[in-house]
């Protein structure tokens, strides 16, 4: 009987169409499958069973003679699934009568647009010089828009973010600014998902070569359907661009870059076991923040061209169901940081990063269960960056430094403990003309939430308590012999200690915090005819205590007062400062959440003694703001919404030195605003 079943299966499969099928979820249509050369009498005596991926969809089947209809499985996510249909005989034997791959997709448009335009007019004021940085009439607008079309094998997408300010107070310094713009398309091919985009290219990497890198240009990508590999190439401007009239594609050789990134999983069945990644960037720039400039004239037009190439190789390995994470990365650069043709030639250098993290996930979830530990995490990482290492995609990375970090975090039901240490040092190559400096920071944090009887009237009155303690010690030092290189000694220690108690009730949360920061300086004074005179900073102590509350007075009313006392003193000196600060925030939503009121008041008072008691200063500042926002019309569909606002601010300053006459001034301004906004479409 088994031989007969196998023979029948082979015969049926030989007549089965293996063409790739497609099912559009947006149309909610059924998929029809013809079972060729299957005897109708056998179909009448048997039942059908269908497997789509890992799902049994037999309940979605219906049959009319040899034609099988599959109801649209709308609950599934779009993707490609293997489809198998079995004939189940009365004896229980299953015969595979159809096998194919099914593309489930949703051909549809998704769009979203949010446009806001606002105009404000200052209708009254005093002390105009206090508002000299503003204009009486200001208009500003912001636009966010996106659109995406998804089909069976293709997808198109676009996104834009722009803003306009009549006072040119934008990041680019121009009235109209294009913060983000991107259009692209993706198409499924036999080798993977092929992509293309024009506009802002964001490299989604955090490492030695790339870090938050976003530039205008062109990119292509290729990604396997399973995600096993992903290749990206880019051709971009080296410098950020925000203005509308700045070029979209790089045309100047001295201000363009190109490169690629590649990610690949070595093991197909267990991709997390070893994931390799690499990245490369090469280009030039006139960005003066890149390196050391020898030219005296730093005008951008005369600035030297800097540039070079950087690449890296990284490996990530995860084991024990992601409980263990190992990471290693090494990068090399060949970069001319002082200007091509100026000073020294390109110099080679390298950077490395290592990480080991073990946590209470997966296989190690119950490793510390006998100790009643709920969660824990242990990590260590080390980063080493050479003095001459540069990357155009990570200019701000500190160089000539090694940083080692270790951390332990353990949590129980009511108690948690955090221990950490960070060590850093420079002059890694022990250059005789550079100082050797080291820094070590150790910290500990404790969090405790006791289990209390809620029926206790005392705790019901003040709230559920939680106690937090933290302490940190930072030490910086330098070899005594290096004072002749930099002109100062370095040997100081900073102690930071904080204790915070928070109390939570249903409509009242409040906290009390006390902190002490002590600075101890063991550095010695230094004097040199060439390097000048160095006087070390004195020992200081700063103590502060703060009390804050958050009260929900009514359903739509919240009140948040804050009080803080500060006492700052210089050791072995009469120099000191005492300060008191009181603040109040009040927010309310009225008229069915269409009228909003926000009030802020702050008072700061400082009494200081300088010059060993020879000079005193008494300063006090009171300021408040009031904001009313009325949503006169709600945005619906393509119809805009309208909001009217009235904002006022007032401040008063009192200042007195020694016995001089008291100097007092106050000012205010009132601003009226109108805002119109559209919010239409999907995908907001």
């Amino acid at each position: 009987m088994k031989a007969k079943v196998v023979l029948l299966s082979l015969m049926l499969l030989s007549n089965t169409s293996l063409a790739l099928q497609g099912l559009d979820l947006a149309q909610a249509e059924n998929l029809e499958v013809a079972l060729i050369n299957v005897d109708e009498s056998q179909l009448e005596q048997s039942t059908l069973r269908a497997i789509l991926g890992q799902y049994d969809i037999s309940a979605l089947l219906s049959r009319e003679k040899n034609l099988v209809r599959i109801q649209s499985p709308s609950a599934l996510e779009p993707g490609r699934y293997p489809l198998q249909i079995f004939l189940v005989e009365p004896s229980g034997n299953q015969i595979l009568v159809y096998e194919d791959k099914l593309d489930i997709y949703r051909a549809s448009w998704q769009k979203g647009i949010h446009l806001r335009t606002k105009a404000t007019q200052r209708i009254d004021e005093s002390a105009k010089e206090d508002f000299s940085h503003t204009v009486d009439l200001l208009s500003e607008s912001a636009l966010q828009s996106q659109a995406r079309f998804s089909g069976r094998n293709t997808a198109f997408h676009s996104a834009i973010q722009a803003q306009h300010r009549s006072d040119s107070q934008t990041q680019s310094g121009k009235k109209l600014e294009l913060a983000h713009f991107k259009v692209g398309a993706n198409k499924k091919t036999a080798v993977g998902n092929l992509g293309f985009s024009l506009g802002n290219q964001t490299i989604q990497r955090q490492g030695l070569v790339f870090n938050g890198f976003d530039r205008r240009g062109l990119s292509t990508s290729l990604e396997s359907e399973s995600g096993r590999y992903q290749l990206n190439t880019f051709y971009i401007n080296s410098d950020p661009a925000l203005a509308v009239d700045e070029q979209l594609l790089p045309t100047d050789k001295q201000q363009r870059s190109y490169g690629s990134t590649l990610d690949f999983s070595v093991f197909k069945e267990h991709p997390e076991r070893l994931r390799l990644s690499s990245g490369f960037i090469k280009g030039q720039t006139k960005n003066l923040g890149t390196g050391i400039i020898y030219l005296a004239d730093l005008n951008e037009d005369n600035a030297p061209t800097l540039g070079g190439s950087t690449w890296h190789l990284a490996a990530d390995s995860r084991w024990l169901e992601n409980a263990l994470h190992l990471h290693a990365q090494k990068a090399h650069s060949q970069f001319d940081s002082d200007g091509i043709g100026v000073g020294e030639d390109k110099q080679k250098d390298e950077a490395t990063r290592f990480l080991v993290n073990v946590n209470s996930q997966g296989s190690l979830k119950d490793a510390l269960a006998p100790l009643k530990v709920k969660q824990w995490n242990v990590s260590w990482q080390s980063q080493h960056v050479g003095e001459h290492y540069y990357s155009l995609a990570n200019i701000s990375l500190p160089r000539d430094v090694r940083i080692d970090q270790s951390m332990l975090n353990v949590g129980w039901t009511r108690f948690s403990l955090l221990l950490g240490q960070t060590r850093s040092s420079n002059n890694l190559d022990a250059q005789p003309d550079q100082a050797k400096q080291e820094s070590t920071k150790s910290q500990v944090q404790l969090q405790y939430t006791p289990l209390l009887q809620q029926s206790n009237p005392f705790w019901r009155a003040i709230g559920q308590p939680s106690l937090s303690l933290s302490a940190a010690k930072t030490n910086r030092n330098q070899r005594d012999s290096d004072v002749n290189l930099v002109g100062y000694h370095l040997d100081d220690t900073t102690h930071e200690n904080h204790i915070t108690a928070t109390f939570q009730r249903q409509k009242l949360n409040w906290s009390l915090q006390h902190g002490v920061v002590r600075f101890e300086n063991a550095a010695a004074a230094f004097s040199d005819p060439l390097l000048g005179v160095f006087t070390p900073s004195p020992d200081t102590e700063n103590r502060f205590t703060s009390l804050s509350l958050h009260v929900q007075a009514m359903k739509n009313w919240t009140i948040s007062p804050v009080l803080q006392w500060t006492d700052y003193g210089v050791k072995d000196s009469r120099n000191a400062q005492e300060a008191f600060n009181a603040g109040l925030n009040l927010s309310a939503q009225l008229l069915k959440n269409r009228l909003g009121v926000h009030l802020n008041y702050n008072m700061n008072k400082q009494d200081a003694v300088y010059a060993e008691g020879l000079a005193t200063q008494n300063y006090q500042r009171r300021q408040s703001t009031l904001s009313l926002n009325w949503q006169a019309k709600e945005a619906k569909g393509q119809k805009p919404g309208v909001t009217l606002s009235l904002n006022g601010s007032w401040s008063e300053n009192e200042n007195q030195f020694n016995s001089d006459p008291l100097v007092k001034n106050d000012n205010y301004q009132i601003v009226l605003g109108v805002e119109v906004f559209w919010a239409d479409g999907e995908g907001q």
Side-chain angles (χ1 to χ4, degrees):
M1 182 63 184
K2 292 183 178 179
K4 180 181 178 181
V5 172
V6 173
L7 180 61
L8 179 59
S9 299
L10 292 175
M11 181 184 69
L12 293 174
L13 283 174
S14 65
N15 293 282
T16 300
S17 172
L18 296 179
L20 185 65
Q21 298 280 355
L23 186 60
D24 186 358
L25 296 178
Q27 302 297 328
E29 296 178 349
N30 297 334
L31 176 69
E32 295 184 349
V33 175
L35 301 181
I36 305 174
N37 295 331
V38 179
D39 187 80
E40 187 174 344
S41 62
Q42 189 179 15
L43 288 173
E44 294 292 342
Q45 300 174 6
S46 307
T47 58
L48 294 176
R49 181 171 182 255
I51 302 297
L52 183 63
Q54 57 181 348
Y55 303 99
D56 190 325
I57 60 169
S58 302
L60 302 179
L61 300 183
S62 62
R63 182 182 62 85
E64 183 178 349
K65 296 184 179 181
N66 288 59
L67 190 63
V68 177
R69 291 186 176 89
I70 303 176
Q71 184 180 341
S72 176
S74 58
L76 291 184
E77 292 292 329
R80 181 170 296 176
Y81 299 84
L83 172 63
Q84 293 178 320
I85 300 178
F86 296 90
L87 201 64
V88 184
E89 295 182 329
S91 62
N93 293 320
Q94 296 189 28
I95 303 174
L96 180 63
V97 294
Y98 185 87
E99 186 175 27
D100 199 353
K101 288 185 178 179
L102 180 63
D103 256 341
I104 296 180
Y105 62 98
R106 190 184 301 273
S108 62
W109 276 98
Q110 292 178 313
K111 61 184 178 67
I113 182 172
H114 189 279
L115 174 61
R116 177 185 63 85
T117 180
K118 182 178 181 180
T120 58
Q121 171 70 51
R122 188 162 46 181
I123 58 178
D124 196 10
E125 63 181 341
S126 68
K128 184 177 178 61
E129 63 275 6
D130 291 326
F131 309 106
S132 58
H133 63 287
T134 62
V135 294
D136 289 337
L137 178 61
L138 172 66
S139 65
E140 52 182 321
S141 303
L143 170 66
Q144 292 187 3
S145 176
Q146 61 180 10
R148 174 181 292 272
F149 172 77
S150 300
R152 176 178 177 182
N153 293 316
T154 58
F156 301 92
H157 57 86
S158 66
I160 185 173
Q161 293 181 12
Q163 67 171 332
H164 176 274
R165 284 182 62 102
S166 60
D167 60 354
S168 301
Q169 294 297 314
T170 62
Q171 190 172 348
S172 63
K174 297 186 177 182
K175 291 184 178 181
L176 182 59
E177 183 173 272
L178 187 62
H180 182 86
F181 168 75
K182 190 174 184 179
V183 294
N186 296 81
K187 181 177 178 57
K188 293 181 180 179
T189 67
V191 294
N193 191 12
L194 181 64
F196 165 86
S197 68
L198 178 68
N200 284 76
Q201 309 298 329
T202 302
I203 310 299
Q204 301 291 350
R205 296 290 186 92
Q206 300 293 328
L208 297 171
V209 177
F210 301 97
N211 188 7
F213 191 58
D214 187 317
R215 298 292 187 270
R216 287 185 185 176
L218 175 70
S219 75
T220 60
S221 63
L222 178 64
E223 182 178 6
S224 67
E225 184 178 351
S226 63
R228 185 178 182 185
Y229 63 83
Q230 182 176 358
L231 173 66
N232 294 277
T233 63
F234 54 85
Y235 179 70
I236 56 177
N237 292 280
S238 298
D239 301 329
L242 293 172
V244 176
D245 56 353
E246 291 184 278
Q247 57 191 16
L248 182 61
L249 287 174
T251 57
D252 187 354
K253 179 182 178 181
Q254 297 179 339
Q255 292 180 309
R256 68 186 180 192
S257 301
Y258 61 89
S260 65
T261 63
L262 174 64
D263 294 86
F264 176 73
S265 294
V266 177
F267 304 108
K268 184 177 181 179
E269 298 299 327
H270 298 280
E272 77 282 357
R273 295 288 172 84
L274 183 58
R275 181 83 170 177
L276 300 179
S277 61
S278 64
F280 166 78
I281 184 171
K282 183 176 182 179
Q284 297 180 0
T285 180
K286 286 181 174 292
N287 187 343
L288 301 182
T290 304
I292 300 173
I293 306 300
Y294 284 113
L295 296 183
D297 185 3
L298 297 184
N299 183 279
E300 184 176 352
D301 296 332
N302 299 325
T305 301
L306 320 174
S309 60
T310 312
W311 65 272
H312 87 280
L313 179 65
D316 284 271
S317 182
R318 298 179 184 271
W319 297 80
L320 304 175
E321 299 180 14
N322 291 327
L324 173 63
H325 178 204
L326 305 174
H327 172 81
Q329 182 178 175
K330 188 164 188 177
H332 289 265
S333 70
Q334 187 173 358
F335 203 90
D336 195 333
S337 62
D338 58 4
I340 298 175
V342 180
E344 299 181 355
D345 294 333
K346 290 184 179 180
Q347 298 192 52
K348 298 181 180 179
D349 215 328
E350 63 181 27
T352 58
R353 175 182 290 178
F354 300 98
L355 167 69
V356 179
N357 183 279
V358 187
N359 57 64
S360 54
Q361 297 183 21
S363 301
L364 300 181
K365 181 179 180 180
D366 300 322
L368 298 181
L371 301 178
K372 297 183 179 181
V373 174
K374 297 297 183 180
Q375 62 84 23
W376 54 272
N377 182 62
V378 181
S379 67
W380 170 85
Q381 61 178 322
S382 178
Q383 181 169 296
H384 175 160
V385 182
E387 178 183 2
H388 301 290
Y389 174 84
Y390 285 91
S391 171
L392 285 172
N394 194 2
I395 293 298
S396 61
L397 181 71
R399 296 178 297 275
D400 190 26
V401 63
R402 173 173 177 171
I403 302 176
D404 295 286
Q405 293 179 311
S406 56
M407 187 269 293
L408 168 65
N409 189 2
V410 184
W412 289 264
T413 302
R414 299 285 175 178
F415 178 76
S416 65
L417 169 66
L418 172 66
L419 299 175
Q421 185 179 75
T422 302
R423 299 175 61 91
S424 63
S425 61
N426 69 338
N427 195 8
L428 304 180
D429 297 330
Q431 298 292 334
D433 58 343
Q434 298 182 21
K436 179 71 173 180
Q437 298 179 347
E438 296 182 346
S439 174
T440 303
K441 181 177 181 178
S442 303
Q443 59 179 335
V444 56
Q445 295 181 10
L446 304 173
Q447 182 82 26
Y448 176 61
T449 303
L451 179 62
L452 303 172
Q453 294 293 334
Q454 296 298 321
S455 59
N456 188 306
F458 176 77
W459 296 117
R460 280 206 318 268
I462 70 172
Q464 169 66 46
S466 179
L467 184 65
S468 175
L469 300 171
S470 66
K473 177 182 178 182
T474 303
N475 178 259
R476 303 185 304 166
N477 60 78
Q478 173 186 277
R479 295 177 304 191
D480 292 340
S481 58
D482 290 337
V483 66
N484 297 313
L485 297 175
V486 296
Y488 61 86
H489 285 283
L490 181 64
D491 186 4
D492 59 53
T493 303
T494 302
H495 301 269
E496 302 176 71
N497 302 285
H498 298 87
I499 178 171
T500 304
T502 60
F503 302 87
Q504 295 185 350
R505 292 181 53 186
Q506 184 176 2
K507 294 185 178 181
L508 169 63
N509 299 328
W510 62 285
S511 66
L512 183 64
Q513 183 181 41
H514 180 71
V516 180
V517 179
R518 294 196 310 272
F519 176 76
E520 301 172 352
N521 199 346
F526 174 79
S527 177
D528 184 87
L530 297 178
L531 299 177
V533 178
F534 167 71
T535 302
S537 301
D539 296 352
T540 61
E541 183 175 273
N542 185 21
R543 295 177 175 270
F544 70 90
T545 303
S546 63
L547 172 65
S548 62
L549 298 89
H550 182 80
V551 184
Q552 186 174 348
M554 290 182 287
K555 182 179 180 180
N556 296 323
W557 289 72
T558 59
I559 304 174
S560 302
V562 177
L563 302 175
Q564 179 169 309
W565 298 264
T566 303
D567 187 1
Y568 174 83
V570 179
K571 188 177 180 180
D572 300 329
S573 169
R574 295 183 59 188
N575 297 345
Q577 177 179 294
E578 294 182 355
F580 172 72
N581 186 82
L584 175 66
N585 280 285
L586 184 148
S587 296
Q589 291 292 325
L590 308 174
L591 298 180
K592 295 183 179 180
N593 296 327
R594 296 184 64 179
L595 176 61
V597 181
H598 181 78
L599 173 66
N600 172 267
Y601 174 80
N602 184 268
M603 188 275 289
N604 179 261
K605 186 177 184 301
Q606 298 179 8
D607 298 317
V609 178
Y610 304 110
E612 298 294 336
L614 299 179
T616 61
Q617 180 186 21
N618 303 104
Y619 174 81
Q620 181 170 298
R621 177 180 176 86
R622 292 183 295 271
Q623 57 183 355
S624 62
T625 61
L626 175 64
S627 175
L628 299 175
N629 291 277
W630 175 41
Q631 185 176 322
K633 184 179 180 180
E634 184 180 359
K636 291 184 178 181
Q638 297 182 356
K639 297 181 179 180
V642 179
T643 297
L644 304 178
S645 63
L646 181 65
N647 297 278
S649 63
W650 166 85
S651 65
E652 181 183 63
N653 302 291
E654 296 180 356
N655 196 7
Q656 184 176 26
F657 282 96
N658 296 329
S659 57
D660 297 341
L662 178 68
V663 178
K664 182 177 180 180
N665 62 77
D666 65 330
N667 57 77
Y668 69 90
Q669 69 167 345
I670 302 175
V671 178
L672 179 66
V674 179
E675 179 179 2
V676 181
F677 56 93
W678 287 260
D680 183 32
E682 305 171 357
Q684 292 298 310

